[in-house]
Amino acid sequence: MNYEILYTFVLATSALAISPGPDNIFVLMQSVVHGKKYGLAVVAGLMSGCIIHTTLVAFGVSAIIKQSDMLFFAIKLFGALYLFFLAYKVLRSKAAVNLTDDGIPKKSLGQLFKQGFVMNVLNPKVSIFFLAFFPGFLFSKTISSITQFYVLGLLFITVSFIVFGLIAVLAGAISERLKQNSKIGLVLKWLQVIVFLGIGVFILISE
């Protein structure tokens, strides 16, 4: 096992989870408006949905690996190019972090869990991202690829749950800091660009 690859994966996942996106902004706003347990319910739903995407990628890409090294290289090339595209989109976007609690209806914990789960499972961009992200971090030549994908999926879920959970718990303080400091949006924007570019390069050079 190559533990350095796993450490890199954990660091990349942490940076991605911290970067502002629709999921963690939604968690933040639910926590600010209704309380931290409501934000945590959304987090639990989102992370449960990741299990579905991990399974799809694990069995789909593993079958490709068995068929052809060339096809697997094409998958990794697609992954790197997709991450470069995401970096370009972030670069072209506004640096401001838009936080507004307008029109956020209060739902039960069960409803929020379900909404988080459905938001994740029915979002094809998540599957595409997993397809782009995971193959470059396979860490062993002896462990089956399916097992490796599930290990990566579990690490992704664990790290993201911790980061999103902290966002939910510290929602008030985080929200106020984001609103008060105009430079935070710019810092987070460049963090996303660097992370996407860095992961894309790593996938290209990984064997």
Side-chain angles (χ1 to χ4, degrees), residues 80-106:
L81 293 176
Y82 180 67
L83 290 164
F84 293 154
F85 170 70
L86 292 180
Y88 172 75
K89 284 187 67 177
V90 173
L91 189 62
R92 294 292 302 272
S93 67
K94 295 181 179 178
V97 179
N98 184 25
L99 294 178
T100 173
D101 57 5
D102 295 339
I104 299 182
K106 187 168 185 177

Side-chain angles (χ1 to χ4, degrees), residues 176-185:
E176 288 306 313
R177 284 184 177 275
L178 289 176
K179 289 176 181 177
Q180 292 173 5
N181 192 335
S182 59
K183 294 182 180 179
I184 287 181

Side-chain angles (χ1 to χ4, degrees), residues 9 14 17 32 52-53 56 59 69 77 118 138 146 177:
F9 180 82
S14 301
V32 168
I52 306 298
H53 294 291
L56 293 173
F59 284 93
D69 289 338
L77 180 61
V118 171
L138 295 178
I146 291 178
R177 284 184 177 275

Side-chain angles (χ1 to χ4, degrees), residues 28-202:
L28 176 60
M29 293 316 304
Q30 286 293 343
S31 301
V32 168
V33 177
H34 301 308
K36 62 185 178 183
K37 65 180 180 180
Y38 291 89
L40 290 172
V42 177
V43 175
L46 290 169
M47 296 305 104
S48 298
C50 287
I51 298 172
I52 306 298
H53 294 291
T54 299
T55 299
L56 293 173
V57 172
F59 284 93
V61 177
S62 294
I64 290 174
I65 292 173
K66 292 178 181 177
Q67 289 178 3
S68 168
D69 289 338
M70 186 64 71
L71 282 175
F72 183 57
F73 173 77
I75 289 240
K76 293 208 297 180
L77 180 61
F78 159 79
L81 293 176
Y82 180 67
L83 290 164
F84 293 154
F85 170 70
L86 292 180
Y88 172 75
K89 284 187 67 177
V90 173
L91 189 62
R92 294 292 302 272
S93 67
K94 295 181 179 178
V97 179
N98 184 25
L99 294 178
T100 173
D101 57 5
D102 295 339
I104 299 182
K106 187 168 185 177
K107 298 182 179 180
S108 69
L109 296 178
Q111 287 175 321
L112 285 172
F113 174 88
K114 181 180 178 181
Q115 183 171 350
F117 180 80
V118 171
M119 277 173 60
N120 190 287
V121 170
L122 297 185
N123 186 353
K125 291 183 179 179
V126 179
S127 282
I128 294 173
F129 180 77
F130 275 33
L131 181 62
F133 188 42
F134 282 18
F137 290 91
L138 295 178
F139 53 87
S140 175
K141 294 183 178 180
T142 57
I143 301 174
S144 74
S145 55
I146 291 178
T147 300
Q148 292 184 69
F149 277 118
Y150 272 108
V151 169
L152 294 175
L154 181 60
L155 283 173
F156 183 92
I157 290 168
T158 301
V159 172
S160 298
F161 187 89
I162 292 172
V163 174
F164 279 33
L166 286 173
I167 289 173
V169 172
L170 303 174
I174 294 174
S175 177
E176 288 306 313
R177 284 184 177 275
L178 289 176
K179 289 176 181 177
Q180 292 173 5
N181 192 335
S182 59
K183 294 182 180 179
I184 287 181
L186 184 62
V187 171
L188 293 176
K189 172 181 176 176
W190 279 102
L191 173 63
Q192 279 186 299
V193 172
I194 292 169
V195 169
F196 284 140
L197 289 176
I199 295 172
V201 171
F202 180 86

